């Protein structure tokens, strides 16, 4: 199936959009690069140019040299922004402390997020990074790009900012690293008007949602992760740009229980694709694995000789629910006992595939340790159909967003509120009954907070009536 | 419409709301799928890793897409991205993607194109010798380390990120380019407890940590911060209101209650924590996010503090290598670091990794009891004999 964009999007053509000429883009030689010396003494950073892993210092020097050779009027912030960043980084190593000031409230009109203010605490020494604000640019789902788009971003950011970026930040945005306050609005206008591209989230709001590669290039994805991510990001733009929450709120979409975007560890609301029918089995392919004709685990263990593939040992005995067995040469699965851990499917991708009646499990409340300790998301909705326009999912989201902003304390994540008020409260909010799947095990203490309604006869009792049976 | 070169571009500061476009959201993903991806969306049948870093996905239609995965620094300049674009234009019809773990993926639709692309990628090096596009990061190996900003952009770090990641990956490079380990090993790095990298469920997590209580900037605290918010920010109630000798409102800190989380500093710039000697690197191990075989797990603290030895963090590199080598030698096929540690017992983990077990590793925060061992099931290691000796149980 093909998806259609929600709004008409102009195709971006770099040649029509570009700022820099070919000559400007190729304004230094390899020889120049070898001879390049940063204006600050940076011995520790020079050291980080050795070794096989890509050196971010070598990359930064390239950008620094390129900026040195551009004409004065071909960039709108200081040309040696990269060199000053490197200089301050070296000094941070020397001092064992960061040299970025705390905070800085800057942004674009009407948005409460998307821009992180940052100022150097050594502005006399490193004037070109006196302001070093970050902008978060909302990435396209799954981070596929074409070069027309990326080259246009590069020109825009080199002209109006430092040329330094993160691809990508932890939450998923493209991060523009370092510009001056004056350029924030102009960059926002260029992004919106020319590139039809918005900023991402920061602060106490919906953070930029992100998803795994999904059906675009993975045989295991049970849901259209990109479409769901795109739809919810667009539908909740107000929540993304205008903070009204107690703290951050994250959506992440994993197509299957392998959890490649780590939704279960990182998202307040984790969506994990799953299925409720049977694992599809190609018995011939199972035999091909047994016969050693196909590499197990998609070839993931090729680097070491683990011996001949042993179906019994590597699949059947490792199945956490022991719901698989062989009948003759036929692999059998008791699907109602399966918890869909993906191991057998991962080991034999040509023989086993997830079912076709697919949907999403919704888990709630993951977060990093600040403050009450790290939490992973709790299984809350076992299975939900996941089809556009995803109204059933939006209803769940909105019930949570009626409760958490109302009851949550300042800087309290959803997972902490669930702990504080209890899963029982969450069930009431969502209007769902309890199920054993929500817990690892039932409680081991009997300190149940019974409600008056739960107990026959109510709580109002007459002491005289009691005393009529029991003397003091 | 071309990108503007006017100083303020399309923005008119006199009329800031004029022509303001908002709530556009991200661009639609479909236009960035190369034809082979568009044509086979949802039709993929299976995949195979041909060699480290190179995958082929086969569709029900018979189409194949070959992917070459390259390590990338999360920090990237426009110059580097343009080179990535050059490669994509030359080999991949102008398409590419990035993974969640900061790898770059180039896709082509035939084996011949893949070989040409591979050759090209392998030939590209920075002038000082490091690879620009090392191929790897697939299967049972170490893939790219996700990390945070560190000293490059952040105001709360207890260490630097890009430098540590570069040093550790230089050391683990063979594991990035090989698939010799028992299972995937995910290494992640965060420079403070805020963990914008959410490293708390990684096979090996590197975490910057402060170890000195905040310094109080009494001169400005009351004018810059909301004192009740600073007090409320402390999870251990270590912060209380006070007045300085000069009569200024401020806060005081019960040092013995401080767990150095830095939450107060996030709320108030007048209580900085960072310190050259105090700040350190904590190593955690045994976490995962996948549901495969066993449920997702948190990483556990296995080394409480290693020095911030810039720029190459030799103690950190050595410790990570020690853990991975012990795991590689001892774990079963498909067993993640945490599964291995649970099977052999954490006492054996410390023995096999040759890591000392110190009192810092025993939880004393909330829910600590959940981590106590309440059984007689244990293995004898030297650490156990030492206890027996100390208790007078053996000579």
């Amino acid at each position: 199936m093909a998806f259609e964009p929600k709004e008409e999007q102009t195709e971006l053509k770099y040649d029509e959009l570009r700022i820099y000429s070919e000559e400007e883009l190729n304004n230094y030689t390899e020889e120049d690069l070898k001879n390049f010396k940063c204006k600050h003494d940076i011995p520790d950073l020079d050291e980080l140019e050795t070794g096989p892993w890509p050196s971010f210092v070598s990359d930064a020097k390239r950008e620094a040299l390129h900026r040195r050779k551009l004409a004065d009027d071909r960039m709108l912030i200081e040309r040696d922004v990269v060199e000053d960043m490197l200089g301050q980084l070296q000094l941070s190593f020397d001092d064992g402390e960061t040299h970025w000031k705390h905070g800085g409230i800057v942004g674009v009109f009407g948005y409460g997020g998307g821009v992180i203010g940052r100022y150097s605490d050594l502005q006399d020494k490193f004037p070109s990074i006196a302001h070093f604000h970050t902008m978060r640019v909302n990435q396209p789902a799954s981070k596929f790009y074409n070069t027309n788009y990326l080259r246009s971003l590069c020109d825009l950011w080199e002209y109006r900012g430092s040329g330094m970026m993160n691809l990508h930040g932890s939450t998923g945005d493209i991060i523009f690293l370092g510009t001056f306050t004056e350029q924030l609005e102009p960059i926002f206008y260029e992004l919106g008007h020319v590139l039809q591209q918005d900023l991402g989230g920061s602060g106490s709001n919906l953070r930029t949602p992100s998803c795994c590669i999904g059906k675009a290039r993975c045989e295991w994805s049970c849901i259209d992760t990109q479409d769901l991510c795109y739809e919810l990001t667009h539908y909740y733009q107000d929540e993304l740009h205008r903070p009204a929450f107690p703290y951050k709120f994250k959506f992440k979409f994993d197509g299957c229980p392998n959890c490649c975007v780590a939704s279960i560890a990182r998202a307040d609301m984790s969506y994990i694709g799953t299925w409720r029918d049977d694992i599809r089995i190609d018995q011939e392919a199972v035999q091909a694995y047994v016969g050693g004709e196909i590499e197990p685990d998609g070839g993931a263990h090729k680097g070491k000789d683990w011996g001949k593939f042993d179906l019994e040992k590597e699949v059947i005995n490792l199945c956490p629910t022991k719901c698989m067995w062989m009948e003759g040469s036929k692999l059998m699965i008791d699907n109602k006992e399966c918890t869909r851990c993906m191991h057998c499917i991962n080991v034999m991708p040509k023989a086993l595939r997830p079912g076709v009646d697919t949907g999403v499990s919704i888990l709630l409340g993951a977060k990093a340790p600040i403050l009450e300790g790290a939490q992973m998301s709790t299984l809350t909705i076992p299975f939900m159909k996941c089809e556009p326009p995803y109204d059933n999912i939006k209803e769940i989201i909105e019930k949570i967003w009626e409760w958490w902003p109302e009851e949550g304390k300042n800087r309290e994540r959803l997972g902490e509120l669930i702990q504080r008020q209890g899963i029982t409260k969450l069930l009431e909010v969502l209007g769902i009954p309890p199920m054993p799947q929500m817990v690892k095990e039932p409680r081991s203490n009997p300190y149940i907070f019974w409600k008056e309604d739960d107990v026959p006869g109510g709580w109002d009792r007459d002491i005289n009536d009691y005393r009529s049976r029991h003397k003091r | 419409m071309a990108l503007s070169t006017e100083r303020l571009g399309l923005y008119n500061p006199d009329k800031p709301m004029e022509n303001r476009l908002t709530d556009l959201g991200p661009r639609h993903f479909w236009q960035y799928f190369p034809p082979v991806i568009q044509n086979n969306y949802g039709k993929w049948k299976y995949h195979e890793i041909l060699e480290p870093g190179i995958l082929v996905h086969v569709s029900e239609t018979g189409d194949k897409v070959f992917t070459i995965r390259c390590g990338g620094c999360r920090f990237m300049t426009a110059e580097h991205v343009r080179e990535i674009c050059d490669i994509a234009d030359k080999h991949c019809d102008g398409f590419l993607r990035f993974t969640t773990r900061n790898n770059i993926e180039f896709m082509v639709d035939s084996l011949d194109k893949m070989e040409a692309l591979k050759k090209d990628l392998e030939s590209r090096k920075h002038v000082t010798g490091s690879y620009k596009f090392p191929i790897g990061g697939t299967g049972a190996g170490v893939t790219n380390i996700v990390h945070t900003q560190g000293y490059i952009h952040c105001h709360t770090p207890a260490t630097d990120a890009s430098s540590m990641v570069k040093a550790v990956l230089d050391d683990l490079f063979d594991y990035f380019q090989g698939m010799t380990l028992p299972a995937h090993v995910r290494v992640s790095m965060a420079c403070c407890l805020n963990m914008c990298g959410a490293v708390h469920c990684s096979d090996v997590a590197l975490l910057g940590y402060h170890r000195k209580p905040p310094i109080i900037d009494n001169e400005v605290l009351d004018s810059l911060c909301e004192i009740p918010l600073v007090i409320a920010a402390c999870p251990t109630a270590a912060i209380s209101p006070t007045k300085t000798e000069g009569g200024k409102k401020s806060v005081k800190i019960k040092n013995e209650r401080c767990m150095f989380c830095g939450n107060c500093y996030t709320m108030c710039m007048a209580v900085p924590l960072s310190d050259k000697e105090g700040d350190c690197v904590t190593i955690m191990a045994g976490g995962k996010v996948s549901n495969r075989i066993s449920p997702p797990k948190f990483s556990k603290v296995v080394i409480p503090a290693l020095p911030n030895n810039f720029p190459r963090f030799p103690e950190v590199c050595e410790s990570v290598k020690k853990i991975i080598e012990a795991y590689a030698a001892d774990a079963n096929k498909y067993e993640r670091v945490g599964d291995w540690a649970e099977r052999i017992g954490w006492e054996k983990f410390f023995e096999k990794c040759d890591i000392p077990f110190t009192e810092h590793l025993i939880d004393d925060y909330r829910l600590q009891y959940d981590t106590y061992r309440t059984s007689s099931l244990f293995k004898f290691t030297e650490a156990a004999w030492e206890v027996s000796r100390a208790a007078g149980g053996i000579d």
Side-chain angles (χ1 to χ4, degrees):
Chain A
M1 65 181 277
F3 296 110
E4 293 300 326
K6 291 273 173 263
E7 298 143 11
E8 190 74 12
Q9 282 197 318
T10 345
E11 197 187 334
L12 303 175
K13 294 207 170 99
Y14 176 61
D15 277 336
E16 293 165 10
L17 300 173
R18 66 190 299 165
I19 292 174
Y20 297 110
S21 67
E22 277 308 302
E23 204 183 0
E24 284 173 310
L25 291 186
N26 296 289
N27 63 359
Y28 60 92
T29 65
E30 188 138 326
E31 209 47 41
D32 295 336
L33 198 51
K34 279 181 190 156
N35 298 326
F36 175 81
K37 215 178 153 338
C38 178
K39 67 187 268 197
H40 305 287
D41 203 19
I42 51 169
D44 286 340
L45 294 173
D46 293 336
E47 211 288 318
L48 288 173
E49 293 197 85
T50 62
W53 187 255
S55 169
F56 70 97
V57 179
S58 302
D59 183 12
K61 284 184 176 177
R62 227 158 39 141
E63 185 66 30
L65 174 61
H66 174 57
R67 289 184 79 92
R68 262 197 209 175
K69 296 214 162 199
L70 285 173
D72 279 341
D73 62 349
R74 298 297 280 160
M75 57 203 133
L76 296 176
I77 71 164
E78 295 299 320
R79 71 165 65 246
D80 48 11
V81 53
V82 185
E83 295 183 59
D84 274 3
M85 189 283 287
L86 291 173
Q88 181 172 306
L89 184 55
Q90 174 66 52
L91 198 64
S92 304
F93 288 177
D94 297 341
D95 294 344
E97 289 167 348
T98 188
H99 279 291
W100 298 110
K101 283 191 191 181
H102 186 290
I105 297 180
V106 289
V108 297
F109 270 104
Y111 277 14
V115 180
I116 320 290
R118 192 65 74 223
Y119 300 92
S120 169
D121 67 12
L122 294 167
Q123 306 199 353
D124 294 340
K125 205 170 163 90
F126 304 112
S128 304
I129 53 167
H131 300 199
F132 199 68
H133 309 319
T134 321
M135 300 182 85
R136 296 186 177 171
V137 179
N138 194 334
Q139 83 289 355
S142 298
K143 307 181 177 81
F144 278 86
Y145 294 100
N146 66 24
T147 57
N148 277 305
Y149 175 76
L150 282 181
R151 287 184 197 276
S152 306
L153 275 192
C154 288
D155 277 22
L156 166 65
W157 182 237
E158 200 166 59
Y159 191 70
R160 296 184 182 274
S162 73
M164 295 183 276
M165 296 179 265
N166 287 142
L167 286 149
H168 298 73
S170 305
T171 299
D173 300 276
I174 303 164
I175 310 283
F176 282 173
L177 273 179
T179 193
F180 277 65
T181 305
E182 177 205 65
Q183 284 302 320
L184 295 173
E185 288 287 359
I187 291 167
F188 178 70
Y189 269 73
E190 294 295 301
L191 282 173
H193 287 263
V194 186
L195 302 179
Q196 292 187 301
Q197 169 67 60
D198 208 338
L199 297 178
S202 66
S204 293
N205 58 9
L206 174 65
R207 297 297 184 88
T208 307
S210 71
C211 63
C212 73
I213 193 166
K215 291 183 182 179
R217 204 202 56 205
C218 181
E219 63 268 33
W220 296 325
S221 190
C222 297
I223 53 172
D224 293 301
T225 54
Q226 287 103 358
D227 190 54
L228 179 57
C229 184
Y230 181 85
E231 169 61 22
L232 295 186
T233 310
H234 275 262
Y235 193 77
Y236 293 116
Q237 280 291 296
D238 194 33
E239 286 75 7
L240 198 150
H241 295 304
R242 296 168 193 90
F245 289 161
Y247 202 13
K248 61 181 95 168
F249 195 94
K250 296 185 177 184
F251 289 155
K252 293 192 192 293
F253 310 93
D254 276 309
C256 84
N258 280 333
C259 283
C260 289
V261 287
S263 67
I264 200 165
R266 308 197 290 164
D268 298 86
M269 211 162 169
S270 319
Y271 302 80
I272 302 177
T274 194
W275 66 95
R276 57 174 173 169
D277 52 348
D278 294 350
I279 292 177
R280 287 172 284 170
I281 309 182
D282 176 342
Q283 297 289 354
E284 270 178 44
V286 173
Q287 285 310 308
Y289 279 102
V290 172
E293 291 153 48
I294 314 173
E295 294 255 17
D297 219 25
H301 290 84
K302 270 179 183 170
K304 183 177 164 182
D305 182 8
W306 291 91
K308 190 174 177 295
F309 176 65
D310 182 341
L311 182 76
E312 192 76 27
K313 183 176 150 199
E314 298 186 33
V315 180
I316 294 177
N317 290 350
L318 288 181
C319 170
T321 62
K322 305 286 179 273
C323 68
M324 311 178 84
W325 70 98
M326 292 300 288
E327 269 182 30
S329 61
K330 240 176 134 184
L331 177 68
M332 309 297 288
I333 300 175
D334 185 357
N335 279 281
K336 64 181 188 309
E337 294 300 315
C338 171
T339 50
R340 301 166 310 283
C341 86
M342 295 295 294
H343 176 64
C344 58
I345 297 174
N346 287 335
V347 175
M348 303 194 292
K350 275 191 188 176
L352 302 178
R353 303 169 76 186
V356 291
D357 188 0
T358 57
V360 71
S361 299
I362 297 179
L363 295 83
L364 300 176
K367 54 177 281 295
I370 289 277
L371 248 186
E372 298 291 321
Q375 287 181 221
M376 274 188 269
S377 284
T378 302
L379 179 65
T380 306
I381 303 191
F383 186 90
M384 191 166 228
K385 290 268 209 184
C386 188
E387 281 151 21
Y390 311 104
D391 287 341
N392 52 351
I393 290 172
K394 290 173 187 163
E395 274 177 36
I396 297 288
I397 294 169
E398 283 162 27
K399 282 177 185 169
I400 290 168
W401 286 351
E402 273 169 30
W403 173 51
W404 170 62
E406 187 66 33
E407 297 282 324
K409 293 193 278 195
N410 182 35
R411 282 165 56 78
E412 185 174 52
R413 293 281 290 269
L414 176 64
E416 288 160 327
L417 176 63
I418 295 173
Q419 272 215 47
R420 183 161 63 82
Q421 296 200 345
I423 286 192
T424 315
K425 177 67 190 175
L426 176 69
L427 303 184
E428 190 186 310
V429 166
L430 297 178
I432 55 172
M435 60 172 184
Q437 289 88 336
M438 286 165 178
V439 291
K440 286 180 189 136
E441 57 188 26
R443 67 195 306 158
S444 50
N445 64 66
Y447 304 142
I448 299 164
F449 288 98
W450 292 106
K451 293 195 188 90
E452 188 170 7
D453 294 350
D454 294 332
V455 189
W459 285 352
D460 275 338
R461 290 181 291 161
D462 182 359
I463 187 66
N464 295 325
D465 177 44
Y466 181 83
R467 284 298 162 217
S468 70
R469 297 188 302 278
H470 307 279
K471 284 194 178 138
R472 273 194 197 104
Chain B
M1 183 168 31
L3 288 164
S4 160
T5 51
E6 296 294 316
R7 179 140 209 113
L8 296 181
L10 305 168
Y11 174 64
N12 177 0
D14 298 329
K15 294 179 178 170
M17 299 316 282
E18 192 176 71
N19 296 324
R20 179 168 291 268
L21 287 176
T22 66
D23 301 78
L24 297 178
R27 288 182 65 87
H28 196 265
F29 51 90
W30 191 258
Q31 63 199 303
Y32 300 124
F33 289 171
V36 66
I37 296 291
Q38 285 192 356
N39 295 338
N40 296 286
Y41 180 89
K43 297 177 192 159
W44 299 105
K45 210 172 161 196
Y46 64 89
H47 78 279
E48 194 188 338
I49 304 170
L50 298 173
E51 56 185 277
I54 304 183
L55 304 117
V56 59
H57 285 79
V58 182
S59 164
E60 284 165 358
T61 66
D63 284 357
K64 290 180 180 180
V65 62
F66 296 85
T67 302
I68 302 193
R69 183 176 295 168
C70 305
C73 296
R74 157 185 157 136
F75 172 92
M76 247 174 229
T77 68
E79 279 296 275
H80 193 68
V81 175
R82 287 182 182 123
E83 185 166 349
I84 292 171
C85 290
D86 291 343
I87 296 166
D89 281 338
K90 192 170 156 193
H91 299 275
C92 315
D93 301 317
F95 295 96
L96 66 132
R97 79 174 284 263
F98 292 83
T99 72
T100 305
R101 300 190 74 89
N102 304 119
N103 290 311
I104 309 149
E105 289 187 338
F106 295 102
M107 283 157 283
V108 291
D109 55 13
S110 79
L111 203 57
D112 291 348
K113 289 184 192 169
M114 189 277 282
E115 288 296 341
L117 169 62
K118 181 182 159 194
K119 227 170 129 182
D120 188 352
L121 291 168
E122 283 172 338
S123 74
R124 292 173 189 259
K125 287 187 170 183
H126 285 293
V127 286
T128 45
S130 68
Y131 286 100
K132 285 177 177 167
F133 304 102
I135 297 172
T138 51
V142 172
T143 188
N144 206 344
I145 300 180
V146 288
H147 66 89
T148 52
Q149 296 287 18
Y151 293 159
I152 285 185
H153 190 263
C154 186
H155 65 298
T156 66
T159 187
D160 184 47
S162 308
S163 55
M164 192 192 301
V165 166
K166 161 72 174 152
V168 173
L169 276 168
D170 275 344
D171 253 35
L172 298 181
F173 195 68
D174 289 345
Y175 291 117
F176 177 80
Q177 294 212 310
M179 299 192 292
T180 55
L181 296 174
H184 299 73
V185 173
R186 299 285 186 248
V187 186
S188 309
M189 195 275 153
C191 8
C192 83
L193 193 61
N194 282 321
M195 279 199 198
C196 28
V199 305
H200 56 288
C201 296
S202 305
D203 294 278
V204 179
L206 313 173
L207 176 66
Y209 213 89
H210 302 294
R211 288 187 301 174
K212 293 191 184 180
I215 323 167
I216 300 169
D217 195 346
N218 286 318
E219 280 302 299
V220 295
L221 192 138
D222 188 36
S223 57
L224 294 173
C225 311
E226 295 279 349
I227 287 178
L229 282 183
V230 186
I231 292 169
C234 182
T236 61
I239 304 177
S240 52
T242 189
K243 269 194 179 159
T244 64
E245 280 175 20
K248 282 196 170 183
K249 279 188 196 164
S250 188
V251 297
K252 62 179 189 298
I253 294 177
K254 222 174 227 174
N255 285 343
E256 67 276 15
R257 276 202 191 169
C258 181
M259 63 173 192
F260 319 101
C261 68
N263 202 43
C264 52
Y265 184 57
T266 297
M267 299 306 291
C268 169
M269 63 84 76
V271 286
L273 286 88
S274 69
D275 182 89
K276 185 171 188 164
E277 292 157 328
D279 292 356
C280 69
V281 184
T282 297
I283 298 193
M284 303 167 81
K288 69 181 191 108
V289 294
S290 152
N291 288 274
R292 185 175 182 174
I293 303 177
S294 63
K297 307 177 205 297
F298 290 121
S299 313
K300 283 88 183 165
V301 180
V302 295
I303 301 180
L306 292 170
N308 267 338
N309 201 344
F310 305 107
R312 282 208 171 259
F313 303 88
E315 298 85 355
V316 173
C317 292
E318 194 201 342
S319 303
V320 173
K321 215 163 177 181
K322 239 163 52 172
I323 294 169
I324 291 179
E325 282 174 359
Y327 159 74
D330 197 60
N332 292 333
K333 192 177 177 185
Y334 307 114
E335 211 168 40
R336 296 285 292 262
V337 171
D339 294 327
W340 167 63
E342 284 171 15
R343 176 174 59 82
I344 61 174
W346 281 96
E347 58 265 51
K348 281 282 175 188
F349 172 90
F350 285 95
E351 186 183 69
K352 284 177 192 285
C353 294
D354 187 25
I355 295 173
F357 188 85
T358 70
E359 66 193 50
H360 310 101
L361 305 179
I362 299 176
D363 196 353
D364 54 3
Y365 193 52
R366 291 168 193 165
L367 308 175
Q368 49 175 292
Y369 179 78
D370 289 355
T371 64
Y372 293 177
R373 191 172 307 185
T374 50
S375 79
S376 63
L377 307 172
F378 67 91
K379 293 180 181 176
F380 289 110
T381 62
E382 188 47 38
W385 298 131
E386 273 179 39
V387 173
S388 293
R389 267 193 293 273
I394 55 171
D395 292 332

